[in-house]
Amino acid sequence: THGDRDHVDALQDLRQRLGVPVGVHPADAAMLPAPPDFTLEDGQTIAVGDGRLRVIHTPGHTPGSVCFHYDTTLVAGDTLFPGGPGATRGDAEKFAQIIASIRDKLFTLPDDTAVCPGHGLDTTIGTERPHLQEWIDRGW
């Protein structure tokens, strides 16, 4: 979902042991320990087994953060958690980006969409949507 070290530490192991191809949004490509096999773009679909994941570019946590939407599930990485957006490290511009990403791209999904963040407990779009203004007001 993005290039932060805690999300890519096992990348080389997965490549070597399982032959897993690696994709990343171009804005995070330099964060990886090795070049990606392909890049991810907003709106792109990727075949996984019998399904297709839709890539949603959600900058803010990192410039190349993406989420993956499949059916009624969103793999949110570090973009959306129960109780608010992912960390933007006190950067007002990044905070504005992540809020726009959540408001304009994620909160357009149905209420019953399960949100699986990169850390911690799951939530739903419907549970989080009513709290957007609270997050904006608190600034994180």
Side-chain angles (χ1 to χ4, degrees):
T1 58
H2 64 287
D4 277 349
R5 185 175 179 92
D6 63 324
H7 287 258
V8 299
D9 272 347
L11 191 66
Q12 292 302 84
D13 253 2
L14 290 172
R15 267 189 168 151
Q16 291 170 354
R17 293 178 191 210
L18 303 176
V20 174
V22 173
V24 68
H25 188 277
D28 277 10
M31 298 172 75
L32 300 185
D37 299 305
F38 61 97
T39 57
L40 302 171
E41 300 294 338
D42 190 48
Q44 175 182 358
T45 59
I46 301 168
V48 178
D50 293 334
R52 296 193 70 76
L53 300 177
R54 181 172 59 97
V55 177
I56 305 171
H57 181 218
T58 55
H61 180 68
T62 66
S65 289
V66 298
C67 297
F68 298 102
H69 183 235
Y70 173 77
D71 195 27
T72 60
T73 302
L74 180 75
V75 177
D78 285 3
T79 298
L80 179 62
F81 293 92
T88 55
R89 299 164 185 91
D91 184 308
E93 184 176 332
K94 289 180 181 181
F95 181 71
Q97 284 181 325
I98 204 167
I99 289 295
S101 293
I102 292 168
R103 180 189 60 233
D104 301 340
K105 295 184 175 184
L106 303 186
F107 283 175
T108 61
L109 299 171
D111 283 352
D112 65 344
T113 303
V115 177
C116 304
H119 309 271
L121 301 174
D122 295 349
T123 187
T124 66
I125 292 293
T127 299
E128 302 307 322
R129 185 184 289 117
H131 302 287
L132 181 64
Q133 190 58 51
E134 294 169 35
W135 307 338
I136 293 168
D137 292 346
R138 76 179 186 208
W140 59 273

